[in-house]
Structure formats: structure tokens, C-alpha cells
Amino acid sequence: LKRIGDHAFYSSAIKGNLALPEGLEYIGSHAFYGCSGLTGSLTIPSGVHIIYSLSFSSCGFTGNLTLPMGLTEIQFNAFSDTKFKGELNIPSTVTTIGDGAFANTEFNGTLVLPEELISLGSSAFSGCWRLSGVVDIPENIVAIPSQLFYDCKNIEGIVLHKDVEVIESQAFANCFYVS
């Protein structure tokens, strides 16, 4: 299997663990959207370079998410509203994280953003209340998007570099421990 098309399993009743084959190269937009019966962990195969919009949004995953080196783009709401746990390890090859990509997930630990990141969408980590530690914003990011870390109640600090030009509305709202 090399390709799973757009809306392939959209809101279907599939249940249990999802094991994607290593030869997979494409997972389409909304491919597994709303599959609340999916549980456990998810490993994205190394041949996948883009996670398209809403591919896994609103799924029932309860384990860890493993993203491959070589992944370059995570589009809007790709993993939003899932219950993944454990640390979120974003590969250093990722250059784009879309709007709401990880919004309302249950990842924990310190978030490390890739140094080569050039695009960071609004609400990308909004509602990720279990994230903690200090987040270092990469140097290529000169505008902090709106609601980037909205409601990330346990983040302890943000490191901004000298070239940041703008911080949009509610970027760090309800981040009670940011000092």
C-alpha cells in the first residue's frame, strides 16, 4: 500500500490499533478524520513527507505518536482533538506546522521546535495543557501567530530571539506559569 486517499476512512467505525505499512507514501486530507474507535499509538511511516489537513483529527488515539525523520510539513488540524499522550517529538526536518496542527491534544513534557522551522500556524498548540517546560521559538519565526499556545497552562517560559517583530493576539493567553 502506497497511498491512502482523501476522506478514505472519514468518520468510519474502524476500531483498535492502526498499523500503517512502511511502504506508505501518502495519507490524504481527512483520511482518518473522526475515527473515534482508533486507539493506542500511531507510527507514521518514513515514506510520508507531508501530513495533510485533518488527516487524523478527532481520532480516539490514546498512546504515543511517532513522526518520521524526513517529514517536512504538518498541515492544519492534522492531529487536532486527539488524545495522544507522551512527549511530542517533532523531527528536525519539519519546516511547516499549520494552524491548529496539534490543538487540544494531551502531549506532555517539554516541546522542542525544529531549528529549521519557517512557518508556524495560529493555534498550532492551543489547548495543549499538559505541555511544560520552556519553549524556544526558532530564529526563522519572526511573527508569533495568534493563540499559538493559548491555554497551555503548564508551559513555564518562552524564549524569543531578537528578530521577533510581532506577537499576535492571545499567543500566550492563559499560560499561567510563563515568566
Side-chain angles (χ1 to χ4, degrees):
L1 180 65
K2 290 192 178 290
R3 178 182 172 88
I4 297 174
D6 298 349
H7 299 86
F9 294 95
Y10 182 94
S11 290
S12 76
I14 58 174
K15 294 182 180 179
N17 291 326
L18 177 62
L20 298 172
E22 189 51 44
L24 190 64
E25 297 173 355
Y26 179 89
I27 302 168
S29 169
H30 298 76
F32 294 95
Y33 176 88
C35 292
S36 59
L38 290 174
T39 59
S41 296
L42 177 65
T43 298
I44 303 296
S46 60
V48 175
H49 300 291
I50 298 172
I51 305 292
Y52 287 93
S53 59
L54 296 148
S55 292
F56 297 98
S57 181
S58 300
C59 286
F61 296 110
T62 54
N64 296 317
L65 173 64
T66 304
L67 300 172
M69 286 300 289
L71 184 67
T72 59
E73 183 177 351
I74 302 167
Q75 292 187 351
F76 76 90
N77 292 87
F79 296 103
S80 65
D81 300 305
T82 59
K83 301 303 174 200
F84 283 114
K85 296 189 178 14
E87 288 196 33
L88 173 57
N89 295 308
I90 301 173
S92 60
T93 52
V94 171
T95 59
T96 302
I97 298 175
D99 295 348
F102 296 101
N104 303 312
T105 57
E106 294 188 12
F107 291 108
N108 61 26
T110 300
L111 175 65
V112 177
L113 296 173
E115 287 182 28
E116 299 304 315
L117 194 65
I118 56 173
S119 179
L120 191 53
S122 64
S123 302
F125 302 99
S126 177
C128 295
W129 63 276
R130 294 180 70 192
L131 291 177
S132 61
V134 176
V135 179
D136 191 354
I137 304 296
E139 290 191 21
N140 293 328
I141 305 298
V142 295
I144 307 301
S146 64
Q147 298 188 350
L148 177 62
F149 291 107
Y150 181 85
D151 237 3
C152 293
K153 298 174 181 170
N154 292 308
I155 288 179
E156 298 158 19
I158 304 292
V159 177
L160 301 174
H161 57 84
K162 63 180 176 48
D163 294 328
V164 170
E165 297 173 358
V166 65
I167 298 175
E168 295 290 350
S169 65
Q170 299 183 324
F172 306 107
N174 294 335
C175 295
F176 301 128
Y177 300 108
V178 170
S179 57

